[in-house]
Structure formats: C-alpha cells, structure tokens
C-alpha cells in the first residue's frame, strides 16, 4: 500500500474515478504490482489462506445469525433448527464450526513460520505485534462463538473462562459480574456474547488491514531472511506469481477443510456440546476447544489461581516482546544451527502442552505440564536471548536471487512433507478427548451401514428402530427435535408423506387455547413433533426415581468415549465417527443381572457394564421377543439395540446422506480444480525461472 | 486470463481458460447455498399446511378473521342483501371484472372467503366499511364491495380468494 504504483489507467471511466479516489491504483500497487520475494516457499501461502478463512467465517456467520436466536431457551433449539430445517443449514453450520478450527490451524502454521524465519525482526516488529493482536482477537471470538450453541461445553466453557477474571485482586468479582450481567452465566451473558461474536470478526478484519499495510511497507520476509537488494532480480510481481501460488494452496487447504465438513463434521467437537446447557451439572471433564489446549495446560500447571491466569495470558503476551528478546542479526533459522534445533524443541513442547491440556489435571500430567510450561517461557526468556549472543550463524546468501539459484526442487517437496507432518502432529497433540479415565470397558465397534464415506442408512432398519422407540423407549424418553413429517424426509426411514401423516394421526397432541380459552387434544399432524411422555422435567424425575430420562433426538452424537492416541489419528483417515452408536448399542446390551462381587449397587439402580460408573437408573429396557418384527429379522436384544441405535443416529444426523453425497461432489471438484491450479501455477512460474 | 482472439490458441491459453472456468463454476456453486438458505425452511413450510375452520359459530352478517400462512383471511357470512348487491353489478363498471359466482362456491354463495390484504400495498382492509359496505382500506382509501372486488381507490385488483373447499356445510379447509 505504499507508493511504488505504476498504474496508468487507459479506460476513461477508471481515469475519472482514479483522479478523485485512487482506489484502483491502491489495489494495483498492493495486489498486482507489489513485489514479492522470488524465493518464498509454501509456508508463505498461509497469510492468503487466513484471509480466505476470515472471509468464509464472516459470510457463513452472517448467514447463521439470520437463523439463530440468542436466548437461553431457544439457542440450542435454533441451532438444531438450522441443522435440520434450514435449506443447506447443516452445511453452513458445519462450515462455520469447522472453519474456526481451520482458521486456527492456519494461524498456528503462520505463526510458527514467522518464528522459524525470524519474520518478527527489524523492521517488522509492528507487523508482528499486529499479528499477536489478531491472534488475541481470534481467541476471544472463537471462545464466544463456542458459547452460542448453548450446549454443556458452551455453558461451562463460558463459566470457566469468565471466572478467570475473578483472579484479579480486589476488582475481580466485580469484573466477572460485569461480564455476566447477572449473578451467573445466563441469558444476558449469552446475548452479549452473541453481539460481541458478531462484532469481533470485523475488528479482526480491521487489524488485518493494518497488518497487510505494515507488511507492504516493510516488505515480506523470505526463507533466506535477506532483504531485497535488486527488485528486478530478487522479486516477482504479486500478480500473477503470488496470486496463483496462494490460490493453489487455498484449494489444497479447502480439500483438507472439506474432509472435515462433509465426512467428520463433529471430530473436532465435543460430544457433550450436543447436551443442552445445564447449570446444575458440570461435565466430568471439561476441556476447551483444541486450539486453546496449550494455554489451558499452562493455566492448570500453576497451583495458584492468580498465578495460573497470569501465566496463561503471559504465554501469549510474551510473543509481543519477541522482537527484542531475540536480538540475533540473522533472521532465518536456516542459517542458525542452534536456533533451528531449539525451534523444533519449542514446537514439540507446544504440542506436548496441547496434549496435556486435554488430559485430566492429575498425577504425572501435572508434573509434565509444569516442566513444559517452564520450558515454554524459558524458550523466550532464556534460550533466545542467550542464543542471540553466543550463536555463530552460517553465512547467509548475498541476495534472494542467489538463494533461488542455490535451491533445488527437492527442498520444496520436503517443505510440504514437513508441513503435513506438523499439521498431523498438531492434531496428535491437541484433539485428544479428555474423557479418559472414566473407567469401564470400551464399547465394541459394531458394523454400521452408515459408516464410512459412502455409508447410508438402512431403511428397513430405521423403520424397525422407530418401532422400538415407539413401543419401548417412548414410555420415558422424548424425541422432541423430530417431527412426524421427518419420517418422510429424503435419507430417512423411507416412508411417504401419507404414511407419515397416518403415523402422526395415531398420536394425541396438545393444542390450544381454543375460542373458549381452553387447551384441547387433537390428532397429530405431520408438522407436529413427537410428543414428550412427561409434561416437564420435574414430572419425568418424579416418575423415574429422581433420574431424568434424556431426550433421545441427539443421543447418538451426545455420547462418546476415548479412542486413545494412535487410534484417533487413524480415525481421521478412516473417517471413523461411530463412538456414539457403539456406546448406545453397547449400553442397551450391557446390563448384568448380578453386579460383580464387591460392587456396591445403590438401591433403585441397575448394573450396566458400559455406563460410566456402572450404576444406571434405567432398568433393562429390552428383552428377547419383546417387539414383534414383521420382516423376519431376529427378535433379539442385540438386533433391537442395533436397530434403535441406527434410528437414533438418523434422528441425530438426519441429513447425513445428503452431506456425504454433496461431500463426494465437492471433493471431486476440488481435486480437479487443485490439479488445474497446480499446472497453471507451473506454467506461470516457468517464466520466472 | 488470456482469451486469445486469433486462431492460434496455445496450450497455455487453454489451461488458463480451463482453470478460470472451473474457478467460476466453483464460485457459482458455492454461492447457491448461501442464497438459497433464505427460502422458507422445512418447519415454516410444514406450518403452512391447510387449516380447517368451523363456520357454525359465524352468524348472519358477521365476518371473522383467521390466519393461514401468516396472512389474515376474512370469512364473511353475507346477508341476502349483501349477496344481491354483489351480484347485481354491471361487470363492465368494475376495474377488475369478476362475477360474484366466480369468487364464491356454488351452493354456498353466502360465504365469502378472501385474503384480507389490500392489493395496493398490503394493509389489512376493515370489513363492513366503505361506500359499498364491503371492505375499506384505511391506509390509502381503497374501497372493496361485498364480494371483495375493488371499486375505487389505488388498489389495482380484487382481494384474492385463497384456495379452499367445503369439507361439510359448516366447515371449510383453507389451503
């Protein structure tokens, strides 16, 4: 955005505007003529990818806000309404929810790239600090966004994070009350978080403009870390060279993104967030989203409330001081043999912290977290200051042009390989589900017709499952997100509209008030939802020995179990996401008449092998021959369990078939597009070498 | 993007055009769900199902208002005089010529069912008002007769008749 514009418009309209508002010149000098170092590698494409993700998040977010209701009674319902009823709502929500994770993956790569190549050094200090500010804003935005669906993790995340401020001496409690707008996290909190979540992306966009401005004043750093000496030899114009390269990288990144959106949309999420917020019950292990885990580990490593909070925020703030902590003249770690090694140690420590953040805060994990926390700060406060005084750097190339000549193609490939490895490792470190030491055996993995990239629901199975829900489960459990009309939806149990209407007709639904002001009962209609067996939670509890039979609509997504370290990485590739169905099915079959010796079963409870803690209030619901099947399927508990579980998977994810179908089309398109972009990029760059 | 004008399109040009076209197709395909999401969602469509209205409580000369798909529907039990007024009209004198027979159901001519939204700019006309004792829109002064036909004022067309049928003599199904 500085003055090396060579823009000479010929079109008279553009000329006329340009004399009054030189906007075309600005765009031309910033994104067309702007000289970029010739030797940039693919790590430099993440700035563009981040802009893309900011755009995707803002667009999908503005649309989601059209359908979302920021009220404690409606937030969870409206999110389900988006996913179930809004046209392409499931796509928009999954794009937005996974988009946040993709945004953070890209920003972490972008930051580590800056750390490795010394992009924070003179004259780019302000550019770097603006980046730290963007990162802080992103964290605040991501946190508030996670609160909006108003699930259990939303609510308890909001409670824990706002309580961080209570650590501030004297005024902490008042600040927390101010943030909440009440005496606890409640409707005012949700409402203001929604408002701020909508505002902050635009603040980010504003700081991004400053970030890009500062970048274009100082010029881009590059892998050699030497400044541009001869613009002719050392640089190429932004368009077409950087544009096409960034474009190719963006398409590859979208392929990665689409893998999650269409095939594993809940992999990076927590099952608990499919349980509506309950201010009375904290989930057994509450963990933040994966991208906060390293800082969460630092928070928990310090055995003092204020100390933990200070350490956590310092871990981010220290980045802003990096340009002065590391005073080495050589920018790129490529020519700093020691700094290079310490960089990789630092990366590993960050990943380790992320992994520890997802583990329960006990035993060896706490000790490891303390060591890693110490090292995290030592890297900035001890290692880098010392290195910059004692390290003997290798000779840097004379110019960028020399660096290009010295380089061969293999390096770039190695770079991409490392990039993928780091991305994978970041996941390894952080996506870990903390529901670890719950006890109890792991549910066996069953074969599900809906598993895998081409999995579909088995219609007869869904129909049998519906029968079991109707004849058995519905005595106690509601299914309140499902309407009778859904039975005739595409990708569902395969009834037609008339059958769904006839099914609804058999139910009595409360309606009213009528002209006389009275409530009355009428026959169900397709638009009605399955009626609940109890009028309210208290009635349900009193009829069930104090336990509340949960709504089953989302059950197959609201339960999970830990898959363990190597396995869940494999799941990422095999697209395994059937923890919920495995658990539900195992639970239904997991009753034992006699608890094992030494197990003290409370009165009114039953022993279940797979239920956390084994003592469940629900009596064994299914027994052989209880429900009659017309299609000759075995009338056994095992078959019943599988059928009703498959049905519940459909109620939890009714558009799964449409999602996988569209996913295949999108993946195919992106793969072709990526290929074309690759060859176009090669053609364009052929001129540059 | 180079779209070469002369006949010597090179392989490079083809590659650029192909990549550009695929990008354009992708952008258009991505825009579709972003726009289409604004259409009524499944629950709104389901809630717009037909409704049944019991006519028994509506007395002679009374008009009631019910809602269907968020629109006010007037159901008017017209007196003999009102029906006669509506039928003894020179069709050529009407801005939007329609007979009362076309606007009511055979055998149920006393019942008038119209969407109570002024065809001018969407206000709700008041029943039994105006110089024809039909409907009068207070916003901009459109006057409708006892058949809901526009007689004077800025509204261009008659009050529309919603789709409905008589389920029995005293019950109609709208929608």
């Amino acid at each position: 955005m500085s003055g090396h514009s060579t823009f000479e418009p010929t079109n008279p309209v553009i000329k006329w505007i340009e004399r009054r508002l030189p906007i075309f010149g600005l765009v031309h000098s910033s994104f067309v003529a702007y000289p970029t170092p010739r030797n940039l590698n693919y790590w430099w494409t993440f700035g563009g990818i981040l802009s893309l993700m900011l755009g995707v998040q803002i667009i999908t977010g503005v649309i989601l806000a059209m359908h979302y209701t920021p009220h404690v009674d409606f937030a969870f319902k409206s999110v389900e309404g988006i996913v179930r009823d809004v046209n392409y709502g499931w796509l928009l929500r999954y794009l937005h929810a996974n988009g946040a994770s993709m945004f953070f993956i890209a920003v972490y790569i972008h930051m580590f790239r800056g750390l490795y190549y010394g992009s924070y050094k003179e004259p780019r200090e302000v550019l770097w600090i603006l980046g730290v500010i963007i990162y802080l804003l992103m964290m605040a935005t991501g946190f508030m966004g996670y609160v909006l669906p108003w699930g259990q993790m939303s609510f308890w995340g909001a409670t824990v994070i706002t309580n961080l401020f209570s650590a501030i001496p004297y005024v902490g409690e008042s600040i927390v009350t101010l943030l909440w707008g009440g005496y606890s996290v409640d409707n005012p909190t949700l409402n203001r978080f929604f408002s701020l979540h909508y505002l902050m992306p635009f603040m980010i966009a504003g700081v991004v403009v400053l970030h890009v401005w500062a970048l274009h004043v100082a010029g881009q750093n590059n892998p050699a870390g030497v400044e541009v000496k001869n613009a002719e030899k050392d640089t190429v114009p932004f368009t077409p060279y950087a544009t096409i390269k960034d474009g190719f990288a963006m398409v590859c990144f979208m392929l990665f993104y689409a893998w999650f959106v269409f095939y594993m949309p809940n992999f990076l999420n927590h099952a608990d967030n499919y349980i509506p917020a309950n201010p009375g019950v904290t989930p057994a292990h509450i963990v933040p989203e994966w991208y906060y885990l390293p800082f969460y580990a630092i928070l928990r490593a310090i055995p003092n409330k204020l100390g933990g909070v200070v350490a956590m925020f310092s871990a981010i703030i220290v980045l802003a001081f990096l340009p002065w902590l590391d005073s080495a003249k050589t920018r790129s770690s490529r020519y700093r043999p020691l700094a290079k090694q310490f960089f990789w140690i630092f990366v590993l420590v960050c990943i380790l912290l992320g992994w520890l953040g997802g583990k329960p805060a006990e035993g060896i994990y706490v000790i490891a977290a303390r060591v890693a926390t110490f090292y995290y700060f030592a890297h900035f406060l001890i290692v880098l200051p010392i290195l910059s005084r004692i390290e003997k750097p290798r000779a840097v190339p004379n110019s960028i042009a020399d660096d290009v000549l010295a380089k061969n193609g293999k390096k770039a490939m190695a770079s991409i390989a490392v990039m993928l490895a780091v991305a994978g490792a970041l996941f390894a470190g952080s996506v870990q589900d903390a529901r670890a030491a719950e006890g109890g055996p792991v549910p066996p993995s069953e074969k599900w017709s809906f598993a895998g990239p081409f999995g579909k629901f088995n219609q007869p199975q869904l129909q049998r499952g519906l029968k079991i829900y109707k004849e058995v489960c519905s005595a106690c459990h509601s299914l309140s997100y499902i309407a009778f009309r859904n039975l005739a939806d595409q990708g569902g149990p395969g009834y037609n509209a008339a059958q769904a209407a006839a099914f609804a007709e058999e139910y009595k639904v409360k309606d009213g008030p009528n002209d006389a002001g009275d409530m009355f009962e009428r026959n169900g209609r397709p638009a009605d939802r399955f009626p609940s067996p109890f009028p309210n939670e208290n009635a349900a509890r009193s009829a069930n020995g104090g336990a509340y039979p949960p709504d089953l609509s989302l059950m197959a997504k609201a339960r999970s179990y830990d898959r363990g370290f190597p396995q869940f990485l494999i799941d990422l590739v095999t697209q395994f996401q059937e923890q919920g169905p495995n658990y539900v099915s195992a639970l239904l079959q997991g009753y034992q008449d006699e608890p094992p010796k030494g197990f003290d079963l409370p009165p009114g409870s039953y022993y279940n092998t797979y239920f956390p803690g084994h003592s469940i209030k629900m009596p064994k619901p299914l027994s052989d021959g209880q429900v009659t099947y017309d299609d000759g399927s075995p009338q056994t508990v095992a078959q019943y369990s599988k059928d009703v579980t498959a049905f519940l998977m459909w109620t939890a994810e009714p558009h799964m078939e449409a999602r996988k179908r569209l996913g295949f089309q999108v993946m195919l398109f992106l793969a072709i597009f990526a290929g074309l972009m690759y060859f176009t990029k090669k053609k364009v760059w052929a001129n540059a070498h | 993007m180079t779209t070469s004008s002369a006949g010597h399109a090179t392989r490079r040009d083809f590659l650029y055009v192909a990549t550009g076209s695929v990008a354009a197709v992708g952008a258009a395909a991505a825009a579709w769900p972003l726009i289409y999401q604004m259409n009524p969602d499944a629950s709104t469509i389901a809630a717009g199902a037909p409704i049944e209205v019991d006519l028994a409580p509506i007395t002679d000369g009374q008009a009631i208002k019910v809602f269907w798909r968020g629109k006010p529907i007037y159901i008017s039990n017209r007196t003999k005089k009102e029906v006669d007024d509506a039928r003894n009209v020179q069709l050529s004198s009407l801005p939007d010529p329609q007979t009362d027979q076309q606007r009511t159901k055979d055998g149920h001519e006393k019942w008038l069912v119209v969407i109570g939204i002024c065809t001018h700019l969407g206000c709700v006309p008041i029943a039994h008002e105006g110089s024809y004792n039909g409907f009068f829109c207070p916003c901009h002064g459109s006057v409708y007769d006892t058949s809901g036909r526009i007689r004077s004022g800025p509204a261009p067309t008659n009050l529309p008749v919603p789709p409905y049928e008589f389920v029995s003599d005293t019950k109609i199904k709208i929608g």
Side-chain angles (χ1 to χ4, degrees):
Chain A
M1 298 190 188
S2 58
H4 28 54
S5 174
T6 53
F7 185 62
E8 293 287 350
T10 47
N11 181 314
V13 177
I14 292 180
K15 249 184 189 161
W16 187 90
I17 296 172
E18 191 69 6
R19 265 193 64 201
R20 288 151 182 86
L21 178 75
I23 188 159
F24 298 105
L26 178 73
V27 170
H28 186 267
S29 65
S30 307
F31 301 108
V32 180
Y34 176 71
T36 62
R38 234 167 231 275
N39 59 341
L40 296 187
N41 57 31
Y42 273 99
W43 298 109
W44 260 264
T45 60
F46 280 88
I49 289 170
L50 282 163
S51 317
L52 170 78
M53 288 317 302
L54 180 62
V56 168
Q57 290 302 85
I58 288 181
I59 291 170
T60 54
V62 166
I63 290 173
L64 289 170
M66 295 179 191
H67 304 281
Y68 170 77
T69 312
H71 185 284
V72 289
D73 293 337
F74 303 109
F76 193 89
K77 276 191 193 131
S78 68
V79 171
E80 279 307 308
I82 289 170
V83 170
R84 289 161 193 274
D85 289 337
V86 172
N87 302 298
Y88 294 106
W90 59 267
L91 173 64
L92 293 160
R93 189 199 168 206
Y94 283 149
L95 278 172
H96 196 72
N98 287 287
S101 284
M102 296 302 128
F103 207 157
F104 275 96
I105 289 172
V107 89
Y108 283 133
I109 294 175
H110 192 65
M111 288 163 74
F112 278 120
R113 189 269 288 156
L115 288 174
Y116 185 83
Y117 292 110
S119 298
Y120 46 85
K121 288 170 184 282
E122 193 277 331
R124 299 184 181 86
E125 298 95 328
V126 172
L127 171 63
W128 174 260
I129 291 169
L130 287 167
V132 175
I133 292 170
I134 293 172
Y135 177 53
L136 278 169
L137 286 171
M138 277 176 66
M139 292 183 100
T141 311
F143 156 64
M144 291 192 207
Y146 196 54
V147 173
L148 301 185
W150 211 240
Q152 272 291 68
M153 281 294 177
S154 301
F155 182 89
W156 292 101
T159 302
V160 169
I161 300 295
T162 48
N163 265 315
L164 291 178
F165 294 91
S166 70
I168 301 169
Y170 307 114
V171 294
E173 291 297 334
S174 315
I175 289 177
V176 172
T177 308
L178 180 86
L179 291 174
W180 287 344
Y183 305 110
S184 60
V185 173
D186 207 338
N187 198 47
T189 325
L190 175 60
N191 235 309
R192 65 191 55 185
F193 276 22
F194 176 59
S195 170
L196 293 172
H197 183 70
Y198 203 114
L199 166 71
M200 294 185 91
F202 297 97
M203 292 169 68
I204 293 177
V207 185
V208 166
V209 170
L210 297 181
H211 192 67
V212 173
W213 186 11
L215 173 74
H216 285 203
V217 170
Q220 279 166 294
N221 185 29
N222 62 78
V226 294
E227 290 293 305
V228 172
K229 294 196 177 100
N230 178 336
E232 190 74 7
K233 284 184 179 156
D234 291 348
T235 69
V236 286
F238 191 88
T239 301
Y241 295 98
T243 339
I244 194 74
K245 193 171 175 177
D246 281 359
F248 170 59
M250 282 180 203
V251 178
C252 292
F253 193 78
M254 279 194 273
L255 261 170
F256 178 70
Y257 182 15
W259 184 271
F260 287 92
V261 169
F262 293 104
Y263 294 114
M264 341 213 29
N266 296 304
F267 184 76
L268 299 167
N269 201 344
H270 295 287
D272 285 286
N273 225 26
Y274 280 112
I275 305 170
N278 180 351
V281 181
T282 311
H285 292 290
I286 92 152
V287 275
E289 286 288 79
W290 68 267
Y291 32 85
Y292 304 127
L293 285 174
F295 302 102
Y296 193 59
I298 291 174
L299 169 77
R300 297 190 309 182
I302 311 291
N304 168 289
K305 185 171 176 180
L306 180 60
V309 174
V310 168
M312 189 182 80
F313 282 108
S314 305
I316 301 165
I317 302 303
V318 72
L319 290 169
F321 294 94
L322 186 55
W324 296 278
L325 291 169
D326 174 13
S327 56
K329 289 276 172 291
T330 307
R331 287 202 187 91
S332 173
S333 292
R334 202 195 260 175
Y335 308 104
R336 299 181 61 189
L338 290 174
K340 186 194 265 179
Q341 287 172 33
F342 280 105
F343 168 83
W344 288 111
I345 295 172
F346 178 70
V347 171
L348 289 176
V349 166
C350 289
I351 292 170
L352 175 68
L353 278 169
W355 180 70
L356 291 167
K359 288 284 161 200
E362 56 199 32
I364 183 75
Y365 298 131
V366 177
I367 297 165
R370 284 185 189 152
V371 174
T373 300
F374 175 79
Y375 188 84
Y376 180 95
F377 284 103
H379 179 78
F380 292 110
L381 301 176
I382 301 170
V383 174
L384 288 179
I386 292 179
L387 278 188
S388 44
R389 282 169 183 80
I390 64 160
E391 190 180 28
K392 292 245 183 317
R394 287 167 37 214
V396 299
N398 276 326
S399 69
I400 292 173
D402 284 1
D403 180 48
V404 173
L405 289 175
K407 215 160 76 174
N408 56 30
K410 273 182 196 157
K411 270 250 159 110
M413 290 311 290
S415 200
I416 292 169
V418 174
M419 177 166 89
L420 291 175
V422 169
L426 272 172
F427 275 103
S430 30
V431 193
Q432 193 57 289
D433 194 344
R435 310 175 114 260
E438 285 279 272
V442 170
S445 275
E446 299 200 43
K447 261 185 86 75
W448 299 105
S449 69
F450 46 80
F454 302 103
K456 278 182 158 51
F457 290 116
N458 176 338
Q459 287 186 348
Q461 185 172 42
L462 295 194
Q463 296 186 358
R464 293 195 301 268
L466 170 64
K467 190 163 197 225
I468 292 169
Y469 170 74
K470 191 183 170 190
E471 292 183 15
V472 184
C473 319
S474 68
C476 301
H477 292 277
S478 56
L479 195 66
S480 39
Y481 292 97
I482 310 301
F484 296 119
R485 63 183 159 84
N486 293 133
L487 299 175
D489 284 351
Q490 282 281 315
Y495 291 111
N496 60 37
Q499 287 170 312
F503 190 90
E505 206 44 40
E506 295 171 22
Y507 281 82
K508 287 277 175 249
V509 174
K510 202 160 199 182
D511 201 349
N514 60 14
D515 292 343
D518 298 322
M519 302 304 278
F520 58 94
E521 279 200 336
R522 59 165 173 77
N523 291 344
R525 298 179 190 141
D528 292 321
R529 294 174 194 283
F530 276 80
S532 301
F534 301 104
N536 53 56
E537 183 179 333
N538 289 2
R541 280 190 191 281
S542 103
N544 287 283
Y548 180 42
D551 187 89
L552 294 184
S553 314
L554 282 159
M555 189 50 73
K557 286 201 296 194
R559 295 291 183 273
S560 187
Y561 52 88
D562 195 16
R563 292 276 287 173
F565 162 58
Q567 187 59 49
F568 87 94
L569 266 189
I570 299 167
D571 292 347
L572 184 58
V573 179
T574 60
Q575 302 185 345
F576 174 86
Q577 48 191 334
E578 280 73 42
Q579 284 105 317
N582 283 346
Y583 172 81
V584 173
S585 179
L587 180 99
L588 291 171
Q589 300 173 58
Y591 281 86
Q592 281 181 27
D593 296 337
E594 284 297 318
K597 280 203 170 51
F599 187 85
D600 192 17
L601 196 63
S605 299
Y606 305 86
Y607 187 87
N608 191 297
T609 315
Y610 297 102
F611 191 70
H614 301 304
S615 151
I616 189 170
K617 287 273 190 180
M618 172 169 77
K620 186 170 187 277
L622 296 165
S623 48
D624 289 346
Q626 183 181 0
V627 177
T628 311
Y629 280 158
D630 308 325
D631 63 356
S633 300
Q635 301 182 155
T636 58
V637 169
Q639 188 64 38
Y640 292 156
S641 304
K642 280 201 74 167
D643 291 348
V644 78
T645 303
F647 172 70
L648 292 180
M649 188 63 215
W650 170 71
T651 64
E653 192 75 17
H655 297 299
M656 189 205 71
E657 289 189 8
R659 164 161 66 74
K660 289 180 178 175
R661 193 165 53 239
L662 184 61
F664 181 72
Q665 293 162 355
V666 168
M667 297 298 270
L668 197 66
F669 172 84
L670 286 175
I672 293 169
F673 190 29
L676 281 169
M677 285 297 278
Y678 175 74
F679 288 111
T680 306
K681 187 249 156 195
K682 265 184 90 155
K683 283 278 181 216
V684 167
W685 277 81
N687 307 338
H689 295 307
Chain B
M1 218 55 45
T2 8
T3 37
S4 70
S5 47
H8 54 277
T10 62
R11 257 175 67 190
R12 190 170 74 182
D13 289 332
F14 174 75
L15 183 61
Y16 290 170
V17 171
T19 309
S21 314
V22 171
V25 168
W32 175 251
L34 303 180
I35 295 161
Y36 191 75
Q37 50 83 24
M38 296 227 264
N39 271 316
D41 70 22
S43 66
T44 307
I45 292 168
I51 56 164
E52 287 192 348
V53 183
D54 184 12
L55 303 181
I58 309 172
T59 55
D60 238 23
Q62 192 191 4
I64 65 156
K65 211 189 300 177
V66 296
F67 279 87
W68 174 66
R69 294 192 171 172
K71 294 178 164 108
I73 310 279
Y74 275 115
I75 302 173
S76 179
N77 185 352
R78 299 184 296 178
T79 59
K80 174 106 187 12
K81 180 178 181 304
E82 286 173 322
V83 175
D84 290 344
D85 284 352
R87 301 200 162 193
N88 300 329
V89 169
Q90 194 74 39
L91 267 195
S92 55
S93 70
L94 297 173
D96 181 9
Q98 241 184 343
T99 64
D100 189 58
Q101 284 85 341
Q102 285 172 313
R103 297 173 56 77
T104 52
K105 303 277 178 196
D106 280 347
H108 304 283
E109 37 285 301
K110 61 192 294 210
W111 294 102
L112 177 76
V113 182
V114 288
I115 297 176
I117 295 178
C118 182
T119 57
H120 179 219
L121 290 171
C123 295
V124 178
I126 305 163
H128 298 302
E129 291 236 351
S131 38
Y132 295 87
N133 199 30
F135 300 89
F136 172 72
C137 182
C139 291
H140 308 100
S142 291
V143 180
Y144 300 88
D145 64 15
T146 54
S147 188
R149 289 173 299 200
I150 183 66
R151 300 301 283 266
S152 68
T157 55
N158 303 333
L159 293 179
V161 177
Y164 75 98
E165 61 189 38
F166 278 84
V167 184
S168 69
D169 275 348
T170 58
K171 197 172 243 183
I172 59 168
K173 186 168 150 191
I174 302 174

